Amino acid sequence: MERMQGIDAGYLYMETPTMHMHTLKVALIEPREVFTMVRFKDELLSRLNQLPPLRRRALPAPFALNHPLWIFDRPIDPDRHVFHHTVPAPGGMAELEALIGTVASTPLDRSIPLWELHVCEGLADGRVAVIGKLHHALADGIAANALLANITDQNHSAQTDLVTRVEQTPSTIEQVRLALRDAVALFPRLGALLWRTSVSLRALVRHRRHSDVAVPRPVLDAPRTSFNGPLTSRRIFATCTLPLDEIKEIRRTHDVTINDVVLGVVAGALRRWMGDRGERLSTALVAGVPVGTDPPNGPVRLGGNRVSNLFTTLATDIDDPFERLREISRTTAEAKNVQQTLGPSMLIDWVQFTPPGPFSAALRLYSKSRAAAKHPPPLNVIVSNVRGPGDEVTISGARLSDLFSVGPILEGIGLNVTAWSYGERLNISLLSCPDLLDDLGPLVAELRPALDELHATEKRVAK
């Protein structure tokens, strides 16, 4: 039993009936033998000891006196976590993606550990799709990657003994005592955080005086688009796969990062797609880019969140894809400098002091009143890039042939684009709300041409 960190709890507080804060992980598996749900559930139970976050549920503090507790006080009931689906005929990716959108449209049950697995049979090629639905409070992309690694056959060090011991649920009086004790222990840190913040803000002012690169400001610089508005509970999902070696080639040629290239591809696709819809903007789209703040070569982390956000331009107001990529790279580099000046953990440290009751109530009121329609969006799109397994892996002898992932969308920000590498592929997943963006297909179709556009600029660099 342990107190949930503020940054993890924040994802619980943000959740409303229309804003679901779970992430999706979609694994396409080639079974080595006849697949059965009974065998799948048995295999899952045998591996839960290697997946500690999946054994714990969130126990809210009485009267919202503090962040919830993580507690393992009940055995896992697989029937409440694992569900079976049949992909409609003809069993292609389009039918699977539609099913994934349906799965994404409902929140997780807060009374049990915050995850579900949806097993999908009926794919025409004989593969089985497993949709993992994992609340963001449990793990960010880096931790989710470590959880996956922990259950692969390639990880020989993982233990397989099932732990059945459960903790005793504390009484309400004991929960109150623990909540107050932990709150009192936390507050001496506030003075040091205030001082550190003031020092960092002064350093940022000095830095900005000498910088000639402007980082976009949330709300102030983001134009309104058709996909920026209040959400409903419904979700749609789509995927695209691009060759990772082509992404790396563009990175080397232009001396930028892989993340810059991903942003450039997304920018090019959005620009072309919006132009085809007659949606032309005079100012550039603004992207929020989640970035991990784990120290280099730190210990493997199997749960929780160590993530901050960068705000950068997608330079969609620039016609030339070469100049667009350069502007994205320059702005993203400056956004990283800003983050380093403030301190990578600044946001995480402040969120620790989030008051659970008022914050959650405010977000629910915001969603219910559809307030996102009444002001400019904080930003236009969330774009994530996570490095997945470099080599293909197997789980219980079954080949994991592909892997996709996507994070949540937020009120006012109705599009999430997540790139997750696996082997030699960059698998891109898109999530949106059909009441804002009714069909992701035309946007997905522009990703490959946007990559080709960047390829064409390599000749100019070579000259």
Side-chain angles (χ1 to χ4, degrees):
M1 181 171 62
E2 63 178 312
R3 183 71 56 194
M4 191 182 295
Q5 293 296 306
I7 185 131
D8 303 329
Y11 290 109
L12 289 177
Y13 308 152
M14 289 175 67
E15 196 157 52
T16 73
T18 58
M19 191 162 65
H20 314 313
M21 296 308 298
H22 51 253
T23 66
L24 300 176
K25 307 287 182 281
V26 182
L28 292 171
I29 299 172
E30 298 177 2
R32 61 175 180 170
E33 54 193 14
V34 176
F35 179 88
T36 69
M37 283 295 291
V38 172
R39 185 182 297 118
F40 181 85
K41 289 180 180 180
D42 288 344
E43 186 70 26
L44 173 66
L45 286 174
S46 72
R47 291 176 180 263
L48 275 178
N49 207 35
Q50 298 148 244
L51 306 168
L54 273 58
R55 301 169 61 230
R56 313 180 298 185
R57 72 182 181 99
L59 180 64
F63 316 112
L65 290 172
N66 207 326
H67 302 314
L69 289 170
W70 285 125
I71 186 169
F72 177 41
D73 60 348
R74 304 171 187 173
I76 298 297
D77 179 0
D79 291 333
R80 298 188 67 184
H81 291 276
V82 183
F83 306 92
H84 181 266
H85 305 269
T86 300
V87 179
M93 279 300 293
E95 289 74 32
L96 175 61
E97 289 168 356
L99 179 56
I100 294 169
T102 300
V103 169
S105 299
T106 56
L108 289 161
D109 184 349
R110 293 279 189 98
S111 68
I112 57 177
L114 296 169
W115 59 274
E116 294 174 356
L117 293 179
H118 295 258
V119 180
C120 308
E121 295 187 89
L123 287 169
D125 58 11
R127 292 186 297 177
V128 174
V130 179
I131 308 167
K133 195 167 157 184
L134 188 71
H135 203 285
H136 218 317
L138 286 181
D140 57 17
I142 292 174
N145 221 356
L147 287 170
L148 172 65
N150 232 30
I151 60 169
T152 63
D153 297 336
Q154 285 71 18
N155 186 356
H156 301 294
S157 62
Q159 298 180 7
T160 57
D161 296 333
L162 177 64
V163 173
T164 56
R165 179 184 60 81
V166 297
E167 300 167 316
Q168 183 175 357
T169 308
S171 66
T172 301
I173 293 176
E174 180 65 6
Q175 290 178 49
V176 169
R177 187 189 72 79
L178 291 172
L180 292 174
R181 182 203 67 183
D182 293 346
V184 169
L186 178 65
F187 269 92
R189 294 162 48 186
L190 185 57
L193 179 57
L194 283 166
W195 172 255
R196 196 164 72 249
T197 302
S198 66
V199 170
S200 296
L201 288 174
R202 290 196 297 270
L204 179 61
V205 170
R206 290 193 299 271
H207 171 79
R208 294 300 292 268
R209 286 182 188 145
H210 299 93
S211 174
D212 59 354
V213 180
V215 174
R217 301 161 298 177
V219 180
L220 298 176
D221 294 329
R224 179 171 291 283
T225 74
S226 57
F227 48 87
N228 294 126
L231 304 175
T232 68
S233 62
R234 301 194 303 157
R235 300 291 182 266
I236 52 174
F237 176 86
T239 64
C240 172
T241 296
L242 299 175
L244 187 57
D245 61 343
E246 294 185 31
I247 302 285
K248 292 178 177 178
E249 183 181 347
I250 294 170
R251 176 201 66 182
R252 288 190 297 268
T253 301
H254 290 281
D255 192 24
V256 296
T257 67
I258 291 225
N259 196 54
D260 292 336
V261 180
V262 170
L263 288 166
V265 169
V266 173
L270 280 169
R271 177 184 163 86
R272 295 163 64 104
W273 171 74
M274 294 180 74
D276 289 345
R277 290 160 56 99
E279 197 171 353
R280 300 188 183 278
L281 303 171
S282 58
T283 57
L285 296 178
V286 176
V289 183
V291 292
T293 61
D294 288 287
N297 304 315
V300 174
R301 178 168 54 84
L302 294 176
N305 293 264
R306 296 291 301 178
V307 65
S308 187
N309 283 279
L310 302 179
F311 305 107
T312 190
T313 183
L314 289 182
T316 46
D317 56 337
I318 298 177
D319 294 336
D320 188 321
F322 174 73
E323 295 298 334
R324 191 185 311 136
L325 179 60
R326 287 185 52 169
E327 182 63 17
I328 289 171
S329 181
R330 289 172 67 245
T331 307
T332 304
E334 175 62 12
K336 292 175 184 176
N337 290 335
V338 168
Q339 185 193 61
Q340 289 299 319
T341 302
L342 286 174
S345 66
M346 182 67 70
L347 174 65
I348 295 172
D349 294 340
W350 272 111
V351 171
Q352 188 66 28
F353 293 91
T354 302
F359 187 74
S360 183
L363 262 295
R364 285 180 171 271
L365 178 62
Y366 182 84
S367 287
K368 187 175 182 180
S369 64
R370 298 178 65 79
K374 301 169 186 174
H375 63 80
L379 48 95
N380 298 112
V381 57
I382 301 167
V383 183
S384 302
N385 175 38
V386 180
R387 182 180 179 181
D391 299 306
E392 291 191 353
V393 300
T394 58
I395 301 175
S396 296
R399 176 175 172 255
L400 179 59
S401 63
D402 241 327
L403 184 65
F404 298 86
S405 174
V406 74
I409 53 177
L410 307 176
E411 290 287 353
I413 312 168
L415 179 62
N416 186 307
V417 182
T418 301
W420 192 292
S421 63
Y422 181 59
E424 295 304 314
R425 298 179 296 285
L426 188 72
N427 291 332
I428 301 177
S429 302
L430 293 84
L431 186 75
S432 188
C433 171
D435 297 283
L436 292 175
L437 202 168
D438 60 355
D439 184 6
L440 285 168
L443 176 55
V444 168
E446 296 293 353
L447 290 167
R448 177 70 241 193
L451 179 61
D452 292 338
E453 242 184 4
L454 291 177
H455 267 309
T457 66
E458 292 179 301
K459 298 177 182 178
R460 291 166 54 185
V461 176
K463 291 179 182 178

